[in-house]
Amino acid sequence: MERHILPPESMTNEAIAARLTNTVSNQIHKGLIKKKNLVYLELNGCSGNIISLLNGQNPDFEYTLNSMVNLRYSNSLMASEGEKAIEKLMDTLDEEYILAVEGAVALKNNGLYNVIGNWKGKPLTGLEAATMFGEKATHILAVGACATHGGVSAAKPTPSQSVGLQEVLSTKKMIKLPGCPVHPDWFLGTLAHLLLYGEPETDNLGRPLMFYSTLIHDRCPRRPFFDRGIFAEKLGDKTCLFKLGCRGPVTRVDCPTRQWNGHVNWPIGDDTPCIGCAQFGFPDAMAPFISFDTTRVVKNE
């Protein structure tokens, strides 16, 4: 049976996630491809990524996820609790599955600074779960800054000794989706690409080029102010925010065109400098987030 699937390179950047997820749902409905199992682990972090994903619109996270995969485990979303939940997680080891992980991996005390449940009377740490399920997964998605490189969980002084997922699965290839949090489109679009075409093209850091190829600075609607040397002096100014600490010139992601909260706005659109949350090294390498010359502000007032 011939499959009429629009290749990703023919889609606009803004529409790519919706087109990919809709195509997957249609192909599954027609019996052309089959659903795959998904294990979604939440490790050491704030669960901000799963919250962000639940706010997704076009594509909608809950509907789209259920249409594309069999969600076998999710700390936050599954109905089962306690050892019954962990039992369902362990049953997945005997099957093929895609692994998605948000949160960093805590190494302190053999991982005891992050326990996701109990199994056979013993605590199951995030370190054990990441290692166990990462070794057998067909594909691995590191979701959000903490999973991709440690993020806020690994920020100094990191009492939990948290690290990114790659450090405990050093021999495994993984797709990395940095962001604090990740945009719903970045996750769902990447997952849909996996189901349709296999792994998407990535850069040398493992980020999908369809979302992370271009600097925010190059697409920012305030770029003309930068080129003309017109800079904001305080929050609320409508000119370039570079001198207030904007990290757009070093951050590769498509926020200016994709936008957030139903694709309606983004930080710079709300007069707030980009803090570089989708760039490796966040937050330590991006601090301070705001550079304020208070003497100048007081003088101007």
Side-chain angles (χ1 to χ4, degrees):
M1 183 181 297
E2 184 179 1
R3 299 190 346 182
H4 299 283
I5 300 177
L6 189 64
E9 58 269 19
S10 67
M11 306 178 195
T12 64
N13 183 275
E14 294 74 36
I16 193 169
R19 296 290 293 274
L20 284 168
T21 53
N22 288 336
T23 301
V24 170
S25 297
N26 290 337
Q27 296 301 314
I28 289 175
H29 181 72
K30 294 176 181 178
L32 299 178
I33 60 176
K34 294 182 178 180
K35 286 185 178 182
K36 293 187 178 181
N37 295 324
L38 175 69
V39 172
Y40 192 105
L41 295 177
E42 295 170 52
L43 303 187
N44 195 38
C46 65
S47 298
N49 293 287
I50 199 70
I51 294 170
S52 175
L53 295 176
L54 289 171
N55 285 330
Q57 297 178 34
N58 191 30
D60 170 83
F61 176 68
E62 294 175 82
Y63 173 79
T64 305
L65 194 66
N66 289 329
S67 300
M68 294 197 305
V69 296
N70 300 310
L71 182 59
R72 298 302 308 274
Y73 180 85
S74 165
N75 306 46
S76 293
L77 302 182
M78 66 190 306
S80 300
E81 299 177 357
E83 290 211 13
K84 289 186 177 180
I86 301 300
E87 183 178 352
K88 291 182 180 294
L89 172 63
M90 293 301 181
D91 287 346
T92 312
L93 281 171
D94 297 326
E95 307 169 13
E96 285 193 354
Y97 58 88
I98 296 169
L99 176 65
V101 177
E102 78 165 85
V105 184
L107 303 180
K108 185 72 174 290
N109 291 359
N110 294 319
L112 283 174
Y113 273 52
N114 175 226
V115 174
I116 67 171
N118 289 295
W119 177 241
K120 295 183 177 179
K122 296 181 179 180
L124 176 65
T125 67
L127 174 60
E128 291 173 313
T131 303
M132 188 185 313
F133 285 87
E135 290 297 332
K136 297 191 66 176
T138 59
H139 302 282
I140 302 173
L141 300 176
V143 184
C146 289
T148 58
H149 60 273
V152 174
S153 297
K156 295 177 182 178
T158 185
S160 61
Q161 295 178 3
S162 288
V163 297
L165 186 63
Q166 190 77 74
E167 291 201 33
V168 298
L169 297 171
S170 59
T171 63
K172 301 291 289 186
K173 183 179 180 181
M174 62 183 66
I175 301 169
K176 297 176 182 177
L177 305 172
C180 191
V182 73
H183 194 291
D185 289 8
W186 305 340
F187 175 77
L188 289 172
T190 301
L191 181 60
H193 195 291
L194 273 178
L195 299 174
L196 286 170
Y197 311 109
E199 295 184 359
E201 184 180 1
T202 59
D203 63 12
N204 63 335
L205 296 175
R207 301 173 295 188
L209 290 175
M210 56 185 172
F211 301 121
Y212 295 89
S213 63
T214 308
L215 288 171
I216 284 178
H217 187 61
D218 292 338
R219 292 183 177 179
C220 182
R222 301 192 185 195
R223 175 62 185 267
F225 291 113
F226 176 89
D227 293 339
R228 292 161 59 194
I230 303 174
F231 299 103
E233 297 183 0
K234 62 183 183 303
L235 297 179
D237 287 352
K238 303 298 182 181
T239 51
C240 177
L241 297 163
F242 175 71
K243 289 191 176 181
L244 291 182
C246 181
R247 297 296 184 258
V250 296
T251 304
R252 291 189 179 276
V253 77
D254 62 8
C255 291
T257 53
R258 185 165 305 284
Q259 305 197 4
W260 292 73
N261 296 335
H263 310 98
V264 298
N265 205 353
W266 66 304
I268 291 175
D270 201 34
D271 303 327
T272 300
C274 166
I275 63 174
C277 77
Q279 193 67 7
F280 284 84
F282 173 85
D284 289 351
M286 298 296 155
F289 298 146
I290 299 291
S291 300
F292 235 8
D293 184 345
T294 55
T295 302
R296 185 177 185 181
V297 171
V298 171
K299 181 179 179 180
N300 287 344
E301 290 177 347

